[in-house]
């Protein structure tokens, strides 16, 4: 070796250039610019010249023989020409009925058309690409190691055919649920090491079920995925463990539940997932309800619950759930024990943080409002237990939002025509009237307003029970002083003004004294 400019060692075959020659790959201030001997590529060259792949590409660009470029251009032209010449490469032409009609019954034309349509273009393109000599010439790392180096220079670059057999190949549709199931035990917390892999699989399942903006769903793939999810019992595992999933995986889980309960197989009248859950795995729905016990998964479980509860059978399963009871063997005429999933909603609403409470109330409301005939019978059979919990837990909640929403929901239940028997039973109880009259004196205006809409049902009832009638008569004078100035600032609410005037007239028409011999409470205010 000889010393170059500035005392830097110089390898044989290298020439030194002064600093005024610009080279973007050397740091400013270098004393010499060694130029490697391309024809004698050794490890010594690599040690003295720290080259990147891009630098190698630029240096060896001019060393590619002309014939390599000529062959590369030829094979590229063949591939491009095939797209123009062979109709089979275009889906629109492959499926074209106009071409088939043009051939008519001519067997010769039909045979030619069928042959051209099914020419395996991939079989032409792949050998052309594999034999492309410019691929190895342009990528110095893909060449065999130099005999002088004594070993491999670097890890070979990925092969040209990696797009066919490489790492990016997606899993089969039927295999996704099995792979997801195998990963769940490894997810101890939302940011666990296997979380990214699990999230990718869930995203693939969502894409198959939902499609994308650019592609529609494939019915065959959707059917395979639904069948595989059910056979792997994956719905139960997703519902039970959703709180340990990452944020994106939780969102994808609720999408999977939503589309699973929408898919109806050809020839069936109800979704496969619905039949499976009702007959084999009712625990899936119970676990979704219990999702409110974990703040992390409450939102996802709630969204999934409200979606699946669009089916009356799922709402019925929640209402009549009892610990240890076999699927769909409940007696609608038998009162509940109060230990099932539905009765836990009172505590999830009242005892949880704001986000969980609000979501649980939204599900609770959907069950009570959207299944009218089912709820009417259920509330009659379980009247005492339900309204005892409702009055003591929800109507007297320390949370302003819970209390206000509960009063409003009570008014909706009582004023629904399908709940007429429930309404008559509720407004006949004097204790219920006392609770509602206390709401009229609440410090918060909106609580007063919502309480007013329940109070009017008691007063407007033409067939008041003796207990209710006695409370109203005993408080007649107070009510006539109270109601004219009640929420007097709501001057623009004409409906409220009319309803308040109507109630005042109804109370004025009551007798001044309660008839003796009738039992009831003394005072409500």
């Amino acid at each position: 070796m000889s010393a170059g400019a500035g005392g830097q060692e110089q390898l044989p075959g290298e020439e030194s250039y002064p600093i005024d020659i610009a080279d973007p790959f050397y740091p400013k201030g270098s004393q010499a610019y060694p130029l490697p001997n391309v024809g004698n590529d050794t490890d010594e060259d690599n040690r003295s010249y720290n080259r990147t792949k891009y630098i190698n590409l630029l240096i060896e660009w001019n060393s590619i023989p002309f014939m390599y470029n000529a062959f590369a251009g030829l094979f590229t032209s063949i591939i491009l020409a095939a797209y123009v010449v062979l109709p089979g490469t275009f889906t629109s032409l492959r499926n074209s009925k106009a071409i088939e009609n043009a051939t008519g019954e001519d067997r010769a034309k039909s045979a030619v058309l069928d042959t051209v349509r099914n020419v395996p273009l991939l079989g032409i393109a792949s050998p052309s690409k594999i034999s492309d000599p410019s691929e190895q010439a342009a990528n110095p790392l893909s060449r065999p190691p130099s005999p002088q180096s004594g070993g491999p220079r670097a890890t070979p670059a990925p092969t040209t055919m990696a797009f066919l057999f490489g790492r990016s190949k997606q899993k089969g549709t039927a295999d996704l649920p099995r792979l997801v199931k195998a990963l769940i035990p490894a997810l101890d917390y939302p940011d666990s090491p296997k979380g990214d892999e699990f999230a990718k699989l869930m995203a693939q399942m969502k894409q198959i079920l939902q499609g994308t903006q650019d592609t529609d769903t494939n019915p065959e793939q959707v059917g395979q995925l639904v069948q595989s999810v059910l056979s792997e019992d994956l719905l139960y595992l997703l519902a039970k463990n959703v709180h340990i999933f990452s944020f994106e995986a939780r969102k994808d889980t609720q999408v999977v539940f939503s589309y699973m309960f929408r898919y109806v197989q050809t020839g069936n009248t109800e979704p496969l997932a619905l039949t499976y859950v009702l007959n084999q795995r009712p625990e899936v729905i119970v676990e979704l309800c219990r999702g409110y016990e974990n703040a992390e998964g409450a939102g996802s479980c709630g969204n999934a619950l409200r979606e699946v509860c669009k089916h009356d059978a799922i709402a019925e399963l929640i209402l009549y759930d009892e610990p240890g009871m076999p699927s769909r063997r409940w007696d609608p005429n038998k009162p509940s024990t109060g230990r099932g999933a539905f009765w836990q909603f009172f505590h999830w609403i009242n005892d949880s943080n704001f986000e969980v409470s609000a979501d649980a109330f939204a599900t609770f409301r959907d069950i009570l409002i959207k299944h009218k005939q089912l709820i009417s019978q259920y509330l009659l059979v379980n009247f005492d237990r339900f309204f005892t919990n409702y009055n003591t837990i929800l109507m007297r909640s320390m949370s302003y939002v819970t209390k206000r929403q509960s009063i409003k929901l009570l008014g909706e239940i009582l004023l629904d025509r399908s709940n007429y028997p429930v309404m008559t039973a509720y407004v006949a109880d004097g204790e219920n009237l006392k609770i509602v009259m206390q709401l009229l004196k609440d410090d918060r205006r909106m609580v007063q307003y919502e309480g007013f809409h329940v109070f009017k049902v008691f007063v407007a009832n033409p067939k008041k029970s003796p207990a209710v009638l006695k409370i109203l008569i005993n408080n007649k004078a107070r009510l006539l002083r109270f109601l004219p100035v009640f929420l007097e600032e709501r001057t623009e609410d004409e409906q409220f003004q009319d309803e308040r005037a109507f109630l005042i007239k109804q109370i004025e028409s009551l007798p001044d004294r309660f008839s003796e011999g009738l039992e009831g409470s003394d005072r409500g205010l």
Side-chain angles (χ1 to χ4, degrees):
M1 294 186 183
S2 62
Q8 184 176 359
E9 291 184 353
Q10 183 173 340
L11 298 176
E14 293 182 338
E15 300 179 10
S16 297
Y17 293 87
I19 190 65
D20 56 314
I21 298 178
D23 189 338
F25 306 112
Y26 274 83
K28 190 173 183 179
S30 298
Q31 298 299 317
Y33 293 83
L35 181 63
N37 186 348
V38 176
N40 185 21
D41 194 5
T42 66
D43 286 345
E44 291 184 353
D45 290 335
N46 290 330
R47 286 195 296 270
S48 65
Y49 189 80
N50 187 18
R51 299 181 300 184
T52 65
K53 295 180 180 179
Y54 182 65
I55 295 174
N56 285 327
L57 178 64
L58 292 178
I59 293 174
E60 302 193 11
W61 181 268
N62 292 326
S63 67
I64 301 175
F66 171 77
M67 291 303 297
Y68 287 0
N69 286 320
F71 280 118
L74 174 63
F75 290 129
T76 302
S77 301
I78 293 175
I79 295 175
L80 293 177
Y83 277 100
V84 178
V85 176
L86 302 179
T89 60
F90 296 98
T91 304
S92 59
L93 294 178
R94 180 188 294 273
N95 299 326
S96 174
K97 298 298 181 182
I99 298 178
E100 291 184 0
N101 295 335
T103 60
E105 298 181 356
D106 192 327
R107 294 185 179 181
K109 292 182 179 180
S110 299
V112 172
L113 175 63
D114 183 67
T115 301
V116 173
R117 276 183 170 179
N118 294 279
V119 170
L121 180 59
L122 187 60
I124 297 176
S126 299
S128 301
K129 185 63 177 173
I130 293 172
S131 60
D132 186 353
S134 65
E135 177 71 17
Q136 294 194 10
N139 187 358
L141 292 181
S142 65
R143 294 180 299 167
S146 171
Q148 300 172 351
S149 65
R153 299 181 44 181
T155 303
T159 62
T160 306
M161 297 296 288
F163 72 96
L164 289 178
F165 311 104
R167 297 177 298 273
S168 62
K169 184 178 180 181
Q170 290 190 342
K171 306 297 182 182
T173 301
D175 294 332
L176 286 175
R178 176 178 55 81
L179 297 172
V180 169
K181 180 179 179 180
L183 282 175
I184 289 178
L187 304 176
D188 298 329
Y189 49 91
D191 296 327
S192 58
K194 291 290 186 179
D196 290 342
E197 184 179 355
F198 178 83
K200 291 178 181 178
L201 294 175
M202 290 299 301
Q204 289 185 35
M205 290 177 57
K206 181 189 73 171
Q207 183 176 342
I208 292 173
L209 293 171
Q210 188 181 41
T212 64
Q213 294 180 349
D214 301 325
T215 59
D216 295 331
T217 58
N218 184 321
E220 182 178 355
Q221 282 188 324
V222 173
Q224 289 178 358
L225 183 60
V226 170
Q227 292 279 7
S228 184
V229 167
L230 299 181
S231 64
E232 294 290 344
D233 195 24
L234 187 58
L235 289 180
Y236 176 77
L237 294 175
L238 293 176
K240 187 178 180 64
N241 298 282
V242 67
H243 62 281
I244 62 175
F245 299 165
S246 64
F247 177 73
E248 292 297 329
R250 290 199 296 266
K251 292 198 304 182
D252 292 341
T253 297
Q254 70 187 47
V255 173
V256 168
F257 266 94
S258 174
Y259 280 87
M260 285 286 296
F261 279 82
R262 295 181 190 177
Y263 175 76
V264 180
Q265 193 177 39
T266 304
N268 292 354
T269 58
E270 61 182 20
L272 288 178
L274 178 63
T275 304
Y276 169 79
V277 166
L278 293 177
N279 298 326
Q280 300 182 41
R281 254 319 195 175
E283 295 86 356
V284 171
I285 305 303
V286 176
E287 288 298 333
L288 280 179
C289 293
R290 289 177 181 167
Y292 288 119
E293 296 175 358
N294 296 282
E296 293 81 4
S300 299
C301 287
N303 288 329
L305 264 178
R306 287 188 289 278
E307 182 65 34
V308 302
C309 278
K310 293 178 180 179
H311 301 280
D312 285 345
I314 297 296
E316 186 179 14
L317 190 154
I318 296 174
L319 290 170
Y320 292 101
D321 171 63
E322 295 287 350
M325 177 180 292
S327 175
R328 308 194 79 172
R329 294 187 181 179
W330 53 75
D331 183 0
N333 297 315
K334 182 179 179 180
S336 173
T337 63
R339 295 184 290 117
F342 176 74
W343 300 98
Q344 301 305 311
F345 274 91
F346 291 100
H347 302 290
W348 293 329
I349 293 171
N350 193 54
D351 301 334
S352 305
N353 61 40
F354 176 77
E355 291 80 6
V356 176
S357 174
D359 199 290
F361 188 88
T363 305
F364 183 73
R365 182 184 182 278
D366 277 7
I367 294 174
L368 292 174
I369 294 297
K370 296 184 177 181
H371 307 278
K372 299 182 183 299
Q373 298 302 324
L374 179 64
I375 290 298
S376 178
Q377 180 183 4
Y378 184 83
L379 292 183
L380 281 177
V381 175
N382 298 277
F383 183 90
D384 292 336
R385 183 182 298 277
F386 178 83
F387 284 106
T388 297
N389 281 274
Y390 203 97
N391 291 338
T392 58
I393 298 177
L394 301 184
M395 298 274 284
R396 295 178 179 177
S397 174
M398 298 301 295
S399 169
Y400 164 71
V401 175
T402 298
K403 188 172 186 176
R404 178 186 168 185
Q405 289 182 329
S406 300
I407 300 168
K408 183 177 181 180
L409 176 59
L410 176 62
E412 294 180 47
I413 294 173
L414 297 179
L415 293 176
D416 194 309
R417 291 180 179 273
S418 62
N419 292 328
Y420 181 80
V422 177
M423 182 271 291
T424 55
Y426 186 85
V427 300
D429 192 332
E431 294 301 318
N432 293 335
L433 177 58
K434 289 182 180 181
I435 295 174
V436 174
M437 292 175 72
Q438 291 293 334
L439 297 176
L440 300 178
K441 299 193 303 178
D442 195 275
D443 296 334
R444 292 156 293 192
R445 292 295 192 181
M446 290 308 300
V447 173
Q448 294 179 356
Y449 179 73
E450 299 298 348
F452 172 82
H453 288 294
V454 180
F455 175 71
K456 69 185 182 184
V457 181
F458 287 88
V459 178
N461 182 21
K463 298 181 180 180
K464 301 178 181 65
S465 67
V468 170
L469 189 60
K470 182 177 182 179
I471 294 174
L472 292 176
I473 292 175
N474 289 342
N475 291 276
K476 177 180 178 180
R478 295 184 181 185
L479 289 170
L480 291 177
R481 291 194 303 269
F482 175 79
L483 287 177
V485 296
F486 177 69
L487 297 180
E488 55 185 349
E489 69 275 7
R490 300 182 70 91
T491 55
E492 297 181 359
D493 191 342
E494 296 182 0
Q495 181 177 353
F496 170 76
Q497 297 286 343
D498 293 341
E499 291 177 346
R500 185 179 63 180
F502 174 77
L503 295 186
I504 292 174
K505 290 181 179 180
Q506 290 293 317
I507 294 174
E508 287 177 341
S509 65
L510 294 174
D512 294 333
R513 292 184 178 182
F514 182 69
S515 301
E516 295 182 1
L518 294 177
E519 298 180 358
S521 302
D522 294 345
R523 309 176 71 83
L525 288 172

